[in-house]
Amino acid sequence: MSVDLATVKRVARLARIAVSEEDANRMVGELNGIIDFVEQLSEVDVTGVEPMTSVTPMDMRKRQDDVTDGDKAEDIVANAPSTDRNFFLVPKVVE
Amino acid sequence: MTELTSLTIAEAREKLASKEITSVELTKAYVDAIDAFNGTFNAYVTTTPEKAMEMAKASDERRAAGTVGALEGIPLGIKDLFATEGVHTQAASHILDGFKPKYESTVTQNLWDDGAVMLGKLNMDEFAMGSSNETSFYGPVINPWKAEGSNQQLVPGGSSGGSAAAVAAHLCAGATATDTGGSIRQPAAFTGTVGIKPTYGRCSRWGTVAFASSLDQAGPIARDVRDAAIMLKSMASVDKKDTTSVDLPIPDYEAALGQSVKGMKIGIPKEYRVDNMPEDIEALWQKGIAYLKDAGAEIVDITLPHTKYALPAYYIVAPAEASSNLARYDGVRYGLRVDGKDIADMYEKTRAAGFGTEVKRRIMIGTYVLSAGYYDAYYLQAQKVRTLIKRDFELAFHAGVDAILTPATPSSAFGIADENLAADPVAMYLNDIFTVTVNMAGLPGIAVPAGLDKKGLPLGLQLIGKPFEEETLFRTAHVIEQAAGKFTPAKWW
């Protein structure tokens, strides 16, 4: 499998990263280099092998579904670039 | 009297306990050293001298009142990946521009609870993605080591390059670091310091900026094995806020030092003898084998057949997890925002301006391998290979091996702005060839300096242990340290 310019632009769009024509062209080569490198995994026989889901065999710790934290609206918006009365402000989404 | 900044944590602890020095004196010595030399190394991205002096004063008061924590009065540097309340926390990225968290990471809170003093935040590769500390928004870190007769500036390794350089240049007594594919062990090896990546789940990941969540693990970089043991004991905890934090008691790692390795079985994996490996590395490995044999350990050849697939599998799993983790940086809740004509345009412009080249490259790879139609071929295949990598280690341990000895890196520190590495991302990735297997299998690994190469640069050996048997690593690394001695750079600054 190899990556072409159209694929790079599609993936950049999916990743929400604006790329210039120049960036996209450079990335074609770089991404193909990396994809070629990881391609060698296809030679490994994985018949009957389970994919790893947890590196340490353990049950995920669970807790009661209680409210244990909160009332921190001001803290939560404190680092936001644009806010109003503890809401995050974004450009208009719906016309 | 020796310079205060040349004391190890254990030595400073003794002098503080005997009232020979105070934390205020010790901290002031570090604050002055940072003032004088941080410009040379670029190890800290932000310093907190006032906070440091306040914390030192409070520590001296606690000591006077009879309350003494395990790191009481010890000045530490903190990697910029750990959230520190009210203090610059940006993962050395522009996209977190101005971010000052309203909370403290569990690891750093544990250190402060044990009496430690914060000197500032340490430089690193952006979002911990790199092996040379050159991807930082704040510029590269300079290694305190130079080759004999050369004035060339060398990298300290990465991603915890600021941590390693600051420890080696005595700009902190010890430092926190993190390791996703080798980011503690490789910079430790490049700077003649000791770094341990504990078992996945030993240190809480809460409040640590996420890169690849199934691989990320915090650990210390320190001047010697004892200091690393002291620091890990404080950093590790069982944390309800991290569901992958493991509910096991934390041993007294320092107590493992000085115990004999007699009768221990040390595995030597043949797959770590790679093509074009410098003679110096092979010689170092043989020296390590001899040290352990002399100490009574039994050396056995072992095979870890899937070793060569660890790095390619890592470059699917880590970018995939990163592309998901880094989706949160969108210019809405924190950090940088670049305005656009609509919300999608704002996201795209913000992320284009905020992320550096290497981070974008990895987000792109991750997005590609997770995109429709490719998931099975790449991500699922990589996770199956990961199962096989882990099984290799399990078989070796099952056959009676107590720890595995390998080189830590395939070379010593290289030059800043190396042209061959800049032109080929994969060549840079190969730096982690010996360390990345350990993250893929979730095991503990320690890098301990064991000698100098022909250029006079430090080289490290790596010991890999069974899950949650960090004590075995400290004990064995201490034997190597005793035999090889310690290595400090000749002071040119």
Side-chain angles (χ1 to χ4, degrees):
Chain A
M1 279 174 263
S2 79
V3 179
D4 58 15
L5 187 63
T7 309
V8 165
K9 288 181 177 173
R10 183 177 61 84
V11 172
R13 176 80 191 150
L14 284 173
R16 292 283 186 268
I17 297 173
V19 288
S20 65
E21 204 62 27
E22 191 192 336
D23 287 344
N25 274 306
R26 195 194 66 241
M27 282 179 182
V28 172
E30 287 172 359
L31 298 195
N32 275 318
I34 298 167
I35 296 293
D36 282 350
F37 175 65
V38 302
E39 207 70 63
Q40 55 181 302
L41 287 186
S42 60
E43 73 195 42
V44 183
D45 182 3
V46 293
T47 316
V49 176
E50 286 294 312
M52 184 181 283
T53 48
S54 171
V55 72
T56 31
M58 61 183 283
D59 291 325
M60 189 183 280
R61 190 183 306 117
K62 298 170 192 78
R63 64 169 176 86
Q64 287 300 312
D65 186 16
D66 297 327
V67 176
T68 56
D69 202 354
D71 283 328
K72 289 181 179 165
E74 280 174 23
D75 281 2
I76 287 163
V77 298
N79 278 287
S82 179
T83 60
D84 185 11
R85 282 161 290 173
N86 290 346
F87 286 98
F88 297 112
L89 290 190
V90 294
K92 202 166 167 182
V93 180
V94 184
E95 287 299 329
Chain B
M1 192 176 136
T2 54
E3 262 185 84
L4 291 179
T5 56
S6 68
L7 299 172
T8 63
I9 293 174
E11 288 164 353
R13 180 176 65 183
E14 217 165 280
K15 287 187 190 290
L16 286 163
S18 67
K19 310 270 161 73
E20 195 182 319
I21 61 170
T22 65
S23 177
V24 164
E25 288 163 359
L26 183 64
T27 303
K28 182 74 171 55
Y30 278 108
V31 167
D32 290 348
I34 293 167
D35 238 11
F37 303 117
N38 192 47
T40 306
F41 300 108
N42 198 29
Y44 285 88
V45 294
T46 198
T47 54
T48 53
E50 283 160 28
K51 194 181 173 80
M53 294 315 300
E54 268 170 41
M55 289 173 89
K57 191 163 164 279
S59 169
D60 286 335
E61 285 165 9
R62 277 194 301 273
R63 189 180 292 277
T67 317
V68 180
L71 285 168
E72 197 60 62
I74 303 293
L76 302 176
I78 303 299
K79 188 177 182 180
D80 200 29
L81 208 63
F82 294 88
T84 42
E85 192 178 351
V87 176
H88 180 290
T89 300
Q90 291 188 208
S93 178
H94 186 40
I95 205 150
L96 272 165
D97 192 35
F99 183 62
K100 291 196 168 83
K102 291 286 179 184
Y103 53 90
E104 189 76 26
S105 81
T106 298
V107 163
T108 48
Q109 189 60 54
N110 289 343
L111 296 173
W112 316 143
D113 289 349
D114 273 352
V117 169
M118 177 165 78
L119 293 166
K121 300 301 283 289
L122 293 161
N123 206 343
M124 54 183 282
D125 279 299
E126 185 181 2
F127 282 106
M129 298 179 190
S131 305
S132 66
N133 212 115
E134 294 172 296
T135 73
S136 167
F137 177 68
Y138 300 94
V141 173
I142 309 300
N143 193 331
W145 287 85
K146 284 182 173 178
E148 266 168 35
S150 163
N151 210 21
Q152 189 195 15
Q153 292 186 327
L154 303 177
V155 303
S159 69
S160 308
S163 304
V167 171
H170 297 180
L171 299 186
C172 60
T176 65
T178 61
D179 190 316
T180 304
S183 284
I184 288 175
R185 291 158 288 156
Q186 185 251 20
F190 276 14
T191 56
T193 55
V194 175
I196 180 164
K197 181 205 90 74
T199 314
Y200 184 81
R202 181 71 289 180
C203 290
S204 169
R205 291 180 298 111
W206 197 84
T208 311
V209 177
F211 160 14
S213 304
S214 78
L215 301 159
D216 296 344
Q217 188 57 205
I221 291 182
R223 301 215 192 133
D224 60 16
V225 175
R226 183 175 300 278
D227 281 8
I230 295 169
M231 276 193 74
L232 182 60
K233 173 123 181 7
S234 286
M235 290 171 72
S237 63
V238 182
D239 187 7
K240 288 205 169 102
K241 289 188 280 193
D242 175 2
T243 54
T244 60
S245 155
V246 171
D247 195 356
L248 283 174
I250 297 139
D252 179 5
Y253 298 120
E254 207 183 344
L257 272 58
Q259 288 179 14
S260 165
V261 296
K262 204 164 183 181
M264 254 177 70
K265 253 190 193 175
I266 304 292
I268 308 297
K270 65 171 194 251
E271 290 80 7
Y272 282 62
R273 193 159 281 122
V274 295
D275 293 342
N276 305 321
M277 191 157 84
E279 280 170 41
D280 284 336
I281 304 280
E282 176 66 35
L284 181 89
W285 200 4
Q286 292 306 326
K287 214 163 72 175
I289 290 170
Y291 290 151
L292 295 178
K293 215 187 246 175
D294 289 350
E298 185 191 342
I299 306 295
V300 291
D301 286 326
I302 60 166
T303 175
L304 302 168
H306 295 91
T307 297
K308 72 176 267 212
Y309 300 111
L311 200 61
Y314 175 85
Y315 274 96
I316 291 173
V317 174
E321 293 183 14
S323 76
S324 168
N325 273 327
L326 273 60
R328 73 190 71 183
Y329 305 104
D330 57 5
V332 175
R333 285 159 296 168
Y334 24 64
L336 185 75
R337 171 183 289 192
V338 178
D339 290 324
K341 63 181 188 316
D342 54 30
I343 194 161
D345 195 42
M346 186 272 280
Y347 292 153
E348 292 192 353
K349 284 185 170 145
T350 299
R351 289 165 65 81
F355 291 132
T357 308
E358 181 61 28
V359 174
K360 283 182 198 167
R361 192 180 286 145
R362 297 206 196 182
I363 292 174
M364 292 282 288
I365 287 287
T367 307
Y368 176 73
V369 299
L370 291 177
S371 65
Y374 295 114
Y375 179 86
D376 285 4
Y378 291 116
Y379 191 73
L380 199 64
Q381 179 78 5
Q383 290 290 50
K384 287 179 180 172
V385 171
R386 201 173 164 189
T387 299
L388 293 172
I389 292 164
K390 186 166 182 246
R391 191 176 296 165
D392 285 353
F393 283 108
E394 283 165 354
L395 289 172
F397 291 134
H398 190 71
V401 166
D402 295 295
I404 296 166
L405 179 75
T406 77
T409 57
S411 74
S412 59
F414 46 87
I416 300 254
D418 185 289
E419 279 175 22
N420 295 327
L421 291 174
D424 180 4
V426 174
M428 184 66 93
Y429 298 167
L430 290 172
N431 262 289
D432 292 335
I433 192 161
F434 298 140
T435 48
V436 79
T437 49
V438 176
N439 302 74
M440 294 303 269
L443 301 172
I446 192 168
V448 59
L452 302 177
D453 69 2
K454 285 189 201 73
K455 293 177 280 188
L457 296 173
L459 294 171
L461 287 170
Q462 172 178 243
L463 286 156
I464 304 168
K466 298 180 199 171
F468 302 101
E469 292 197 8
E470 284 81 4
E471 287 165 287
T472 306
L473 298 187
F474 283 121
R475 172 170 28 152
T476 316
H478 190 245
V479 167
I480 293 176
E481 180 179 73
Q482 294 283 314
K486 295 188 198 175
F487 303 90
T488 38
K491 196 169 171 187
W492 49 266
W493 58 91

